[in-house]
Amino acid sequence: MNQKQHAPGAQGKHAGAFYQVLYKGKEFYLNNNEFRVFSMLICGGQWATFDIAERLNIPDPRSTIRYIRKMGIDVADVWVHENKMRFKRYFIHGGDSVC
């Protein structure tokens, strides 16, 4: 008598995803922040976390990048030493031709 009622619409693994992205022949489902960071990185250039945070108004883009990497998207990074500071710049190889 106590049956759960399921909400109509998408169910399962990709129920909360907003954007479907095709990258290197694979299909990825990204939420809003993940899609915005992915779009910025795929357009080329190397971006520091404070650049991404400032442009996209995301408090800590490192966690978003971690989730994107966990999905299987190749986000590369390089350590940079500038003005007695050490930080990483993130980028996706081969992204210049997409934008």
Side-chain angles (χ1 to χ4, degrees):
M1 209 147 123
N2 273 341
Q3 289 182 334
K4 284 189 176 180
Q5 291 183 350
H6 295 285
Q11 295 292 323
K13 185 173 155 182
H14 307 299
F18 298 117
Y19 301 97
Q20 180 181 2
V21 174
L22 187 64
Y23 175 70
K24 290 190 176 181
K26 294 182 184 173
E27 203 172 74
F28 298 97
Y29 295 91
L30 307 176
N31 67 25
N32 191 32
N33 282 347
E34 292 165 351
F35 179 74
R36 291 169 59 208
V37 171
F38 173 79
S39 298
M40 187 172 182
L41 295 176
I42 199 75
C43 283
Q46 295 184 358
W47 301 93
T49 53
F50 50 85
D51 295 329
I52 298 170
E54 187 177 79
R55 274 191 171 212
L56 301 180
N57 200 20
I58 297 174
D60 188 14
R62 293 174 299 176
S63 63
T64 305
I65 291 169
R66 181 178 70 237
Y67 295 137
I68 292 172
R69 283 178 168 166
K70 210 172 190 181
M71 286 181 208
I73 298 173
D74 299 325
V75 178
D77 59 58
V78 62
W79 281 103
V80 177
H81 300 275
E82 287 181 4
N83 301 329
K84 297 182 182 180
M85 291 175 28
R86 186 180 90 149
F87 57 92
K88 283 186 178 180
R89 290 192 187 270
Y90 297 94
F91 57 97
I92 295 178
H93 288 291
D96 295 336
S97 62
V98 175
C99 296

XYZ file of all heavy atoms in Angstrom:
812
model
N 0.802 -1.185 0.000
C 0.000 0.000 0.000
C 0.860 1.271 0.000
O 0.433 2.283 -0.511
C -0.901 -0.011 1.219
C -2.157 0.740 0.956
S -3.493 0.000 1.840
C -4.028 1.372 2.776
N 2.047 1.210 0.587
C 2.953 2.351 0.589
C 3.876 2.282 -0.617
O 5.009 1.855 -0.527
C 3.810 2.370 1.859
C 3.123 3.077 2.985
O 2.194 3.840 2.743
N 3.556 2.816 4.197
N 3.427 2.713 -1.748
C 4.260 2.717 -2.941
C 4.818 4.109 -3.145
O 4.121 5.105 -2.967
C 3.453 2.319 -4.166
C 3.071 0.864 -4.185
C 2.316 0.544 -5.456
O 1.689 1.405 -6.047
N 2.377 -0.717 -5.851
N 6.096 4.136 -3.520
C 6.711 5.429 -3.827
C 6.231 5.894 -5.182
O 6.147 5.127 -6.133
C 8.237 5.305 -3.866
C 8.879 5.222 -2.533
C 10.376 5.325 -2.694
C 11.060 5.344 -1.364
N 12.504 5.442 -1.477
N 5.929 7.170 -5.254
C 5.573 7.751 -6.529
C 6.786 8.465 -7.083
O 7.416 9.258 -6.395
C 4.423 8.731 -6.367
C 3.118 8.063 -6.019
C 1.994 9.072 -5.952
O 2.221 10.270 -5.988
N 0.773 8.575 -5.863
N 7.116 8.164 -8.307
C 8.258 8.791 -8.948
C 7.809 10.015 -9.725
O 6.762 10.021 -10.367
C 8.958 7.805 -9.889
C 9.559 6.646 -9.165
N 10.715 6.758 -8.424
C 9.167 5.351 -9.045
C 11.018 5.600 -7.893
N 10.091 4.720 -8.246
N 8.615 11.034 -9.639
C 8.313 12.257 -10.374
C 8.463 12.012 -11.871
O 9.335 11.268 -12.303
C 9.256 13.373 -9.939
N 7.627 12.644 -12.673
C 7.753 12.458 -14.121
C 9.013 13.138 -14.636
O 9.546 14.055 -14.032
C 6.501 13.144 -14.671
C 6.105 14.108 -13.626
C 6.530 13.516 -12.313
N 9.498 12.677 -15.762
C 10.679 13.288 -16.358
C 11.866 12.365 -16.274
O 11.745 11.161 -16.062
N 13.033 12.950 -16.436
C 14.271 12.176 -16.465
C 14.544 11.541 -15.110
O 14.464 12.184 -14.083
C 15.434 13.069 -16.863
N 14.860 10.280 -15.148
C 15.200 9.541 -13.929
C 16.559 8.910 -14.117
O 17.001 8.679 -15.222
C 14.164 8.441 -13.658
C 12.787 8.958 -13.342
C 12.743 9.665 -12.005
O 13.403 9.266 -11.068
N 11.987 10.723 -11.928
N 17.201 8.648 -13.030
C 18.448 7.905 -13.101
C 19.674 8.775 -12.984
O 19.662 9.842 -12.378
N 20.736 8.293 -13.612
C 22.068 8.848 -13.451
C 22.184 10.308 -13.898
O 22.916 11.081 -13.316
C 23.030 7.972 -14.245
C 24.465 8.296 -14.131
C 25.247 7.211 -14.840
C 26.574 7.721 -15.305
N 27.312 6.709 -16.020
N 21.482 10.702 -14.955
C 21.636 12.037 -15.526
C 20.434 12.939 -15.255
O 20.174 13.863 -16.008
C 21.858 11.934 -17.028
C 22.969 11.014 -17.396
N 24.275 11.218 -17.000
C 22.972 9.856 -18.094
C 25.028 10.243 -17.456
N 24.263 9.394 -18.119
N 19.704 12.696 -14.192
C 18.481 13.436 -13.927
C 18.730 14.916 -13.653
O 17.924 15.751 -14.004
C 17.736 12.806 -12.754
N 19.864 15.273 -13.031
C 20.118 16.664 -12.691
C 20.987 17.390 -13.696
O 21.334 18.540 -13.491
N 21.365 16.744 -14.788
C 22.265 17.361 -15.762
C 21.506 18.340 -16.638
O 20.365 18.102 -17.026
C 22.925 16.294 -16.615
N 22.156 19.436 -16.958
C 21.550 20.445 -17.802
C 22.106 20.430 -19.225
O 21.409 20.737 -20.166
C 21.779 21.836 -17.222
C 21.179 22.037 -15.874
C 21.975 22.304 -14.778
C 19.820 21.961 -15.685
C 21.434 22.494 -13.529
C 19.256 22.153 -14.446
C 20.069 22.423 -13.364
N 23.378 20.086 -19.368
C 24.043 20.191 -20.659
C 24.648 18.854 -21.056
O 25.315 18.208 -20.273
C 25.161 21.244 -20.611
C 24.653 22.607 -20.240
C 24.723 23.060 -18.933
C 24.094 23.432 -21.207
C 24.248 24.316 -18.594
C 23.622 24.685 -20.874
C 23.699 25.119 -19.563
O 23.225 26.351 -19.232
N 24.423 18.477 -22.301
C 25.007 17.274 -22.865
C 26.147 17.725 -23.773
O 25.943 18.504 -24.696
C 23.965 16.517 -23.657
C 24.463 15.261 -24.290
C 23.372 14.574 -25.084
O 22.252 15.060 -25.193
N 23.699 13.436 -25.641
N 27.364 17.242 -23.510
C 28.557 17.672 -24.239
C 29.194 16.454 -24.889
O 29.329 15.407 -24.260
C 29.567 18.335 -23.266
C 30.856 18.660 -23.963
C 28.963 19.577 -22.652
N 29.585 16.605 -26.147
C 30.315 15.562 -26.856
C 31.770 15.988 -26.927
O 32.096 17.015 -27.513
C 29.744 15.366 -28.261
C 30.301 14.202 -29.053
C 29.952 12.883 -28.370
C 29.758 14.212 -30.470
N 32.653 15.223 -26.289
C 34.079 15.553 -26.228
C 34.878 14.298 -26.514
O 34.732 13.295 -25.819
C 34.426 16.126 -24.848
C 35.889 16.383 -24.627
C 36.545 17.408 -25.291
C 36.623 15.591 -23.760
C 37.896 17.632 -25.089
C 37.967 15.814 -23.552
C 38.599 16.837 -24.222
O 39.941 17.055 -24.024
N 35.690 14.341 -27.559
C 36.524 13.211 -27.981
C 35.697 11.940 -28.172
O 36.073 10.860 -27.745
C 37.660 12.969 -26.995
C 38.714 14.046 -27.014
C 39.925 13.635 -26.212
C 41.011 14.687 -26.338
N 42.208 14.317 -25.606
N 34.544 12.088 -28.786
C 33.705 10.941 -29.101
C 32.908 10.388 -27.937
O 32.208 9.394 -28.091
N 33.003 11.010 -26.780
C 32.254 10.547 -25.611
C 31.209 11.589 -25.229
O 31.384 12.775 -25.449
C 33.185 10.304 -24.422
C 34.153 9.174 -24.631
C 35.007 8.982 -23.394
C 36.053 7.913 -23.615
N 36.979 7.829 -22.485
N 30.154 11.117 -24.620
C 29.063 11.976 -24.195
C 29.172 12.238 -22.697
O 29.319 11.308 -21.904
C 27.757 11.248 -24.495
C 26.567 12.119 -24.633
C 25.393 11.307 -25.125
O 24.838 10.531 -24.328
O 25.062 11.447 -26.314
N 29.124 13.522 -22.316
C 29.201 13.902 -20.910
C 27.987 14.746 -20.558
O 27.508 15.531 -21.380
C 30.482 14.705 -20.638
C 31.742 13.943 -20.899
C 32.416 14.066 -22.104
C 32.261 13.089 -19.941
C 33.574 13.360 -22.348
C 33.429 12.372 -20.177
C 34.073 12.506 -21.384
N 27.508 14.591 -19.349
C 26.389 15.378 -18.844
C 26.913 16.297 -17.744
O 27.392 15.831 -16.721
C 25.290 14.465 -18.303
C 24.671 13.631 -19.403
C 25.165 12.374 -19.716
C 23.606 14.127 -20.143
C 24.612 11.624 -20.734
C 23.034 13.381 -21.158
C 23.544 12.131 -21.449
O 22.997 11.388 -22.459
N 26.828 17.606 -17.971
C 27.412 18.588 -17.060
C 26.336 19.471 -16.457
O 25.374 19.860 -17.141
C 28.412 19.469 -17.821
C 29.505 18.755 -18.611
C 30.331 19.770 -19.381
C 30.387 17.940 -17.699
N 26.529 19.837 -15.187
C 25.631 20.823 -14.588
C 26.094 22.220 -15.015
O 27.051 22.370 -15.779
C 25.552 20.659 -13.067
C 26.843 20.990 -12.363
O 27.670 21.757 -12.851
N 27.023 20.417 -11.190
N 25.458 23.239 -14.536
C 25.710 24.599 -14.994
C 27.161 25.044 -14.771
O 27.816 25.521 -15.691
C 24.738 25.569 -14.308
C 24.774 26.937 -14.923
O 25.012 27.087 -16.115
N 24.536 27.947 -14.105
N 27.674 24.913 -13.550
C 29.052 25.333 -13.266
C 30.069 24.508 -14.042
O 31.044 25.058 -14.556
C 29.362 25.246 -11.768
C 28.774 26.400 -10.999
O 28.344 27.389 -11.582
N 28.737 26.270 -9.689
N 29.851 23.208 -14.126
C 30.774 22.360 -14.873
C 30.800 22.760 -16.346
O 31.868 22.831 -16.956
C 30.368 20.893 -14.741
C 30.542 20.343 -13.350
C 29.823 19.035 -13.127
O 29.041 18.604 -13.990
O 30.047 18.433 -12.059
N 29.641 23.050 -16.905
C 29.570 23.450 -18.309
C 30.271 24.783 -18.549
O 30.992 24.948 -19.535
C 28.113 23.534 -18.769
C 27.967 23.965 -20.194
C 28.272 23.092 -21.226
C 27.551 25.241 -20.501
C 28.147 23.491 -22.548
C 27.427 25.652 -21.818
C 27.728 24.765 -22.847
N 30.085 25.727 -17.639
C 30.722 27.037 -17.791
C 32.240 26.930 -17.714
O 32.953 27.535 -18.516
C 30.182 27.999 -16.732
C 28.725 28.355 -16.989
C 28.072 29.071 -15.842
N 28.769 30.301 -15.520
C 28.794 30.841 -14.306
N 28.154 30.262 -13.321
N 29.430 31.954 -14.086
N 32.764 26.142 -16.772
C 34.211 25.952 -16.650
C 34.737 25.194 -17.863
O 35.758 25.567 -18.443
C 34.573 25.228 -15.335
C 36.039 24.827 -15.311
C 34.249 26.114 -14.140
N 34.053 24.135 -18.269
C 34.459 23.372 -19.444
C 34.513 24.268 -20.680
O 35.474 24.223 -21.448
C 33.486 22.212 -19.680
C 33.729 21.467 -20.960
C 34.744 20.540 -21.053
C 32.936 21.698 -22.072
C 34.976 19.846 -22.235
C 33.150 21.016 -23.255
C 34.173 20.089 -23.337
N 33.501 25.095 -20.885
C 33.461 25.992 -22.040
C 34.628 26.969 -22.026
O 35.216 27.259 -23.072
C 32.141 26.760 -22.066
O 31.066 25.885 -22.198
N 34.959 27.477 -20.870
C 36.068 28.423 -20.757
C 37.402 27.738 -21.067
O 38.247 28.300 -21.767
C 36.090 29.033 -19.366
C 37.067 30.136 -19.186
S 36.815 30.895 -17.569
C 38.036 32.177 -17.632
N 37.582 26.533 -20.567
C 38.837 25.819 -20.774
C 38.977 25.311 -22.211
O 40.075 25.311 -22.759
C 38.959 24.649 -19.800
C 39.060 25.007 -18.320
C 39.066 23.742 -17.478
C 40.285 25.854 -18.040
N 37.891 24.892 -22.823
C 37.948 24.336 -24.170
C 38.194 25.427 -25.215
O 38.687 25.153 -26.302
C 36.664 23.533 -24.505
C 36.887 22.590 -25.682
C 35.498 24.438 -24.799
C 37.673 21.381 -25.359
N 37.894 26.670 -24.885
C 38.096 27.778 -25.830
C 39.561 28.176 -25.961
O 39.894 29.016 -26.784
C 37.265 28.987 -25.416
S 35.540 28.795 -25.830
N 40.414 27.601 -25.192
C 41.841 27.864 -25.317
C 42.359 28.769 -24.223
O 41.608 29.364 -23.451
N 43.652 28.865 -24.162
C 44.287 29.670 -23.128
C 44.495 28.871 -21.867
O 43.927 27.802 -21.686
N 45.346 29.389 -21.026
C 45.601 28.780 -19.730
C 45.039 29.718 -18.667
O 45.354 30.902 -18.653
C 47.094 28.553 -19.530
C 47.674 27.561 -20.499
C 49.135 27.275 -20.220
O 49.736 27.842 -19.321
N 49.704 26.384 -20.998
N 44.233 29.167 -17.779
C 43.502 29.978 -16.810
C 43.874 29.582 -15.393
O 43.827 28.411 -15.037
C 42.005 29.802 -17.008
C 41.554 30.180 -18.373
C 41.412 29.363 -19.452
C 41.199 31.489 -18.812
N 40.983 30.084 -20.531
C 40.840 31.381 -20.168
C 41.151 32.734 -18.193
C 40.443 32.481 -20.912
C 40.745 33.818 -18.933
C 40.403 33.693 -20.275
N 44.194 30.578 -14.577
C 44.428 30.348 -13.147
C 43.075 30.294 -12.439
O 42.058 30.771 -12.960
C 45.276 31.474 -12.563
N 43.065 29.716 -11.246
C 41.800 29.583 -10.518
C 41.177 30.934 -10.219
O 39.963 31.089 -10.287
C 41.997 28.809 -9.204
O 43.040 29.407 -8.456
C 42.323 27.368 -9.479
N 42.006 31.932 -9.908
C 41.415 33.240 -9.608
C 40.856 33.894 -10.861
O 39.899 34.660 -10.788
C 42.391 34.171 -8.881
C 43.746 34.305 -9.514
C 43.968 35.209 -10.536
C 44.799 33.526 -9.068
C 45.214 35.344 -11.110
C 46.051 33.651 -9.646
C 46.267 34.552 -10.668
N 41.405 33.596 -12.056
C 40.832 34.109 -13.306
C 39.468 33.476 -13.570
O 38.512 34.164 -13.943
C 41.752 33.806 -14.492
C 43.075 34.533 -14.410
O 43.105 35.645 -13.850
O 44.082 33.988 -14.912
N 39.394 32.171 -13.383
C 38.127 31.460 -13.595
C 37.083 31.939 -12.593
O 35.937 32.209 -12.953
C 38.338 29.934 -13.479
C 39.297 29.446 -14.560
C 37.019 29.199 -13.571
C 39.752 28.009 -14.378
N 37.486 32.050 -11.332
C 36.561 32.483 -10.287
C 36.026 33.885 -10.563
O 34.834 34.155 -10.393
C 37.245 32.435 -8.925
N 36.899 34.760 -11.016
C 36.495 36.143 -11.277
C 35.569 36.241 -12.488
O 34.563 36.930 -12.458
C 37.741 36.995 -11.499
C 37.454 38.466 -11.608
C 38.740 39.264 -11.756
O 39.290 39.301 -12.875
O 39.186 39.816 -10.736
N 35.906 35.548 -13.564
C 35.103 35.619 -14.789
C 33.755 34.945 -14.648
O 32.755 35.429 -15.165
C 35.842 34.982 -15.946
C 36.757 35.923 -16.620
C 37.239 35.303 -17.896
N 37.943 36.333 -18.622
C 37.986 36.430 -19.914
N 37.379 35.547 -20.650
N 38.650 37.402 -20.486
N 33.722 33.783 -14.005
C 32.502 32.985 -13.949
C 31.740 33.130 -12.639
O 30.677 32.539 -12.484
C 32.837 31.506 -14.181
C 33.513 31.175 -15.510
C 33.776 29.685 -15.595
C 32.678 31.646 -16.682
N 32.308 33.873 -11.709
C 31.673 34.088 -10.405
C 31.419 32.749 -9.691
O 30.343 32.494 -9.185
C 30.381 34.885 -10.562
C 29.965 35.524 -9.265
O 30.774 35.686 -8.357
N 28.700 35.867 -9.155
N 32.453 31.910 -9.683
C 32.420 30.625 -8.988
C 33.401 30.724 -7.824
O 34.564 31.047 -8.038
C 32.823 29.477 -9.929
C 31.824 29.362 -11.072
C 32.914 28.160 -9.175
C 32.208 28.352 -12.125
N 32.970 30.463 -6.601
C 33.849 30.654 -5.440
C 35.140 29.835 -5.482
O 36.197 30.352 -5.199
C 32.989 30.219 -4.257
C 31.612 30.172 -4.746
C 31.648 30.019 -6.221
N 35.070 28.548 -5.814
C 36.264 27.713 -5.858
C 36.193 26.789 -7.068
O 35.639 25.697 -6.992
C 36.399 26.892 -4.582
C 37.724 26.147 -4.510
O 38.632 26.459 -5.305
O 37.844 25.255 -3.658
N 36.749 27.216 -8.200
C 36.657 26.403 -9.412
C 37.474 25.106 -9.356
O 37.266 24.215 -10.160
C 37.185 27.322 -10.515
C 37.858 28.435 -9.850
C 37.363 28.504 -8.450
N 38.372 24.964 -8.389
C 39.167 23.739 -8.295
C 38.292 22.517 -8.060
O 38.556 21.447 -8.612
C 40.215 23.860 -7.194
C 41.282 24.891 -7.512
C 42.206 25.084 -6.364
N 41.436 25.577 -5.210
C 41.933 25.778 -4.009
N 43.198 25.526 -3.775
N 41.182 26.243 -3.032
N 37.255 22.635 -7.269
C 36.372 21.492 -7.036
C 35.587 21.148 -8.301
O 35.379 19.973 -8.599
C 35.425 21.771 -5.876
O 34.581 22.858 -6.170
N 35.185 22.161 -9.036
C 34.482 21.914 -10.299
C 35.406 21.216 -11.290
O 35.000 20.279 -11.977
C 33.961 23.239 -10.890
O 33.147 23.901 -9.919
C 33.156 22.989 -12.141
N 36.658 21.650 -11.348
C 37.645 21.016 -12.227
C 37.874 19.567 -11.796
O 38.009 18.673 -12.628
C 38.957 21.829 -12.241
C 38.734 23.159 -12.955
C 40.088 21.042 -12.886
C 39.849 24.160 -12.812
N 37.885 19.328 -10.494
C 38.047 17.969 -9.983
C 36.906 17.073 -10.471
O 37.124 15.941 -10.910
C 38.106 17.976 -8.459
C 38.302 16.600 -7.853
C 38.407 16.633 -6.344
N 37.119 16.967 -5.747
C 36.911 18.002 -4.926
N 37.910 18.792 -4.585
N 35.728 18.236 -4.424
N 35.663 17.570 -10.420
C 34.515 16.788 -10.882
C 34.594 16.534 -12.387
O 34.269 15.443 -12.852
C 33.205 17.491 -10.548
C 32.938 17.606 -9.069
C 32.453 18.775 -8.520
C 33.178 16.536 -8.210
C 32.216 18.896 -7.169
C 32.947 16.650 -6.844
C 32.449 17.825 -6.330
O 32.216 17.936 -4.995
N 35.029 17.528 -13.151
C 35.162 17.373 -14.595
C 36.212 16.301 -14.910
O 36.005 15.462 -15.779
C 35.535 18.728 -15.253
C 34.363 19.704 -15.151
C 35.935 18.534 -16.706
C 34.713 21.118 -15.595
N 37.315 16.335 -14.201
C 38.358 15.321 -14.403
C 37.854 13.924 -14.049
O 38.164 12.947 -14.713
C 39.579 15.641 -13.545
C 40.435 16.741 -14.102
C 41.584 17.026 -13.168
N 42.579 17.879 -13.788
C 43.533 18.493 -13.130
N 43.651 18.333 -11.818
N 44.397 19.254 -13.762
N 37.082 13.838 -12.966
C 36.563 12.562 -12.513
C 35.634 11.931 -13.550
O 35.537 10.712 -13.655
C 35.815 12.768 -11.192
C 35.845 11.605 -10.269
C 35.259 11.999 -8.936
C 35.495 10.920 -7.923
N 34.928 11.251 -6.637
N 34.960 12.769 -14.333
C 34.085 12.277 -15.400
C 34.873 11.670 -16.552
O 34.348 10.857 -17.296
C 33.240 13.417 -15.958
C 32.150 13.870 -15.082
S 31.281 15.193 -15.927
C 30.664 16.095 -14.543
N 36.119 12.117 -16.722
C 36.942 11.599 -17.802
C 37.399 12.640 -18.799
O 38.006 12.307 -19.813
N 37.118 13.895 -18.547
C 37.571 14.970 -19.426
C 38.994 15.334 -19.027
O 39.281 15.555 -17.858
C 36.638 16.194 -19.336
C 35.236 15.803 -19.807
C 37.178 17.347 -20.158
C 34.182 16.870 -19.617
N 39.884 15.393 -20.012
C 41.301 15.638 -19.758
C 41.569 17.126 -19.540
O 41.762 17.869 -20.498
C 42.155 15.136 -20.919
C 42.013 13.646 -21.130
O 41.854 12.931 -20.120
O 42.057 13.202 -22.285
N 41.587 17.541 -18.298
C 41.946 18.916 -17.950
C 43.396 18.881 -17.481
O 43.719 18.232 -16.491
C 41.038 19.497 -16.843
C 41.466 20.900 -16.484
C 39.587 19.473 -17.268
N 44.259 19.564 -18.222
C 45.683 19.595 -17.881
C 45.975 20.814 -17.019
O 45.193 21.771 -16.986
C 46.514 19.643 -19.158
N 47.091 20.765 -16.324
C 47.503 21.913 -15.522
C 49.010 22.046 -15.572
O 49.723 21.103 -15.906
C 47.016 21.806 -14.078
C 47.527 20.556 -13.383
O 48.753 20.368 -13.300
O 46.696 19.773 -12.910
N 49.477 23.236 -15.249
C 50.911 23.514 -15.199
C 51.153 24.456 -14.021
O 50.362 25.373 -13.774
C 51.411 24.118 -16.537
C 50.761 25.435 -16.849
C 52.909 24.255 -16.544
N 52.223 24.176 -13.264
C 52.578 25.049 -12.150
C 53.247 26.305 -12.695
O 54.087 26.232 -13.588
C 53.528 24.367 -11.186
C 52.839 23.408 -10.256
C 52.828 22.057 -10.339
C 52.069 23.747 -9.117
N 52.097 21.519 -9.315
C 51.620 22.548 -8.541
C 51.704 24.956 -8.513
C 50.821 22.508 -7.410
C 50.923 24.905 -7.376
C 50.487 23.700 -6.836
N 52.887 27.460 -12.138
C 53.437 28.750 -12.558
C 54.001 29.447 -11.332
O 53.393 29.419 -10.255
C 52.337 29.627 -13.205
C 52.878 30.975 -13.584
C 51.737 28.932 -14.399
N 55.164 30.071 -11.496
C 55.778 30.859 -10.425
C 55.849 32.311 -10.904
O 56.616 32.629 -11.800
C 57.183 30.350 -10.109
C 57.199 28.919 -9.673
N 56.985 28.549 -8.375
C 57.384 27.777 -10.361
C 57.049 27.237 -8.284
N 57.283 26.739 -9.485
N 55.040 33.177 -10.313
C 55.020 34.599 -10.663
C 54.929 35.430 -9.389
O 54.129 35.127 -8.509
C 53.810 34.934 -11.545
C 53.891 34.449 -12.955
C 52.669 34.840 -13.772
O 51.787 35.554 -13.245
O 52.587 34.416 -14.934
N 55.708 36.488 -9.331
C 55.646 37.434 -8.210
C 55.701 36.743 -6.847
O 54.896 37.022 -5.958
C 54.394 38.303 -8.300
C 54.334 39.090 -9.586
O 55.356 39.468 -10.147
N 53.135 39.332 -10.066
N 56.629 35.816 -6.714
C 56.813 35.069 -5.466
C 55.578 34.263 -5.067
O 55.359 33.979 -3.894
C 57.219 36.003 -4.329
C 58.553 36.679 -4.574
C 58.943 37.558 -3.408
C 60.256 38.263 -3.712
N 60.675 39.120 -2.622
N 54.738 33.956 -6.047
C 53.550 33.132 -5.806
C 53.649 31.886 -6.679
O 54.233 31.915 -7.755
C 52.270 33.893 -6.167
C 51.962 35.032 -5.241
S 50.534 36.038 -5.714
C 49.484 34.991 -6.599
N 53.074 30.801 -6.203
C 53.027 29.568 -6.970
C 51.563 29.158 -7.100
O 50.835 29.079 -6.117
C 53.818 28.493 -6.245
C 53.955 27.221 -7.035
C 54.752 26.231 -6.254
N 53.827 25.445 -5.430
C 54.021 24.189 -5.079
N 55.111 23.574 -5.426
N 53.135 23.560 -4.355
N 51.138 28.904 -8.334
C 49.754 28.500 -8.574
C 49.685 27.700 -9.863
O 50.658 27.611 -10.610
C 48.828 29.725 -8.640
C 49.218 30.729 -9.682
C 48.682 30.678 -10.956
C 50.130 31.741 -9.382
C 49.047 31.605 -11.913
C 50.495 32.675 -10.333
C 49.956 32.607 -11.609
N 48.529 27.104 -10.113
C 48.334 26.302 -11.321
C 47.497 27.062 -12.332
O 46.622 27.834 -11.975
C 47.602 24.987 -10.987
C 48.458 23.953 -10.352
C 47.680 22.663 -10.214
C 48.540 21.569 -9.614
N 47.796 20.315 -9.486
N 47.795 26.794 -13.591
C 46.949 27.256 -14.693
C 46.366 26.002 -15.343
O 47.062 25.032 -15.592
C 47.757 28.047 -15.705
C 48.208 29.383 -15.188
C 48.748 30.214 -16.344
N 49.347 31.434 -15.868
C 48.682 32.578 -15.718
N 47.417 32.639 -15.997
N 49.305 33.649 -15.276
N 45.058 26.049 -15.613
C 44.346 24.907 -16.158
C 43.994 25.157 -17.622
O 43.728 26.284 -18.030
C 43.058 24.671 -15.364
C 43.313 24.325 -13.922
C 43.314 25.313 -12.936
C 43.584 23.023 -13.534
C 43.560 25.006 -11.616
C 43.834 22.705 -12.223
C 43.810 23.698 -11.259
O 44.071 23.381 -9.956
N 43.961 24.063 -18.404
C 43.611 24.169 -19.814
C 43.236 22.783 -20.331
O 43.491 21.769 -19.687
C 44.765 24.751 -20.630
C 46.052 23.981 -20.521
C 46.412 23.042 -21.470
C 46.922 24.197 -19.448
C 47.603 22.332 -21.353
C 48.113 23.503 -19.334
C 48.443 22.564 -20.291
N 42.597 22.772 -21.520
C 42.278 21.528 -22.213
C 43.006 21.568 -23.537
O 42.866 22.536 -24.298
C 40.760 21.371 -22.411
C 40.059 21.233 -21.053
C 40.462 20.157 -23.287
C 38.558 21.124 -21.133
N 43.788 20.534 -23.832
C 44.568 20.482 -25.077
C 43.642 20.434 -26.285
O 42.610 19.766 -26.261
C 45.456 19.234 -25.108
C 46.606 19.306 -24.163
N 47.662 20.164 -24.347
C 46.864 18.640 -23.010
C 48.536 20.001 -23.361
N 48.068 19.091 -22.528
N 44.053 21.134 -27.328
C 43.317 21.075 -28.587
C 41.987 21.779 -28.571
O 41.109 21.471 -29.357
N 41.820 22.739 -27.691
C 40.529 23.402 -27.590
C 40.394 24.648 -28.448
O 39.312 25.163 -28.609
N 41.472 25.136 -29.051
C 41.430 26.407 -29.794
C 40.496 26.378 -30.988
O 39.885 27.374 -31.337
C 42.822 26.794 -30.259
C 43.766 27.086 -29.088
O 43.269 27.425 -28.008
O 44.966 26.957 -29.291
N 40.367 25.236 -31.636
C 39.561 25.163 -32.861
C 38.067 25.096 -32.598
O 37.271 25.205 -33.506
C 39.994 23.953 -33.682
O 39.773 22.770 -32.940
N 37.653 24.888 -31.355
C 36.243 24.708 -31.030
C 35.501 26.037 -30.997
O 34.366 26.132 -31.449
C 36.091 23.967 -29.686
C 34.652 23.872 -29.276
C 36.708 22.589 -29.787
N 36.105 27.072 -30.504
C 35.386 28.345 -30.315
C 35.476 29.271 -31.515
O 36.383 29.337 -32.228
C 35.934 29.062 -29.094
S 35.625 28.123 -27.607
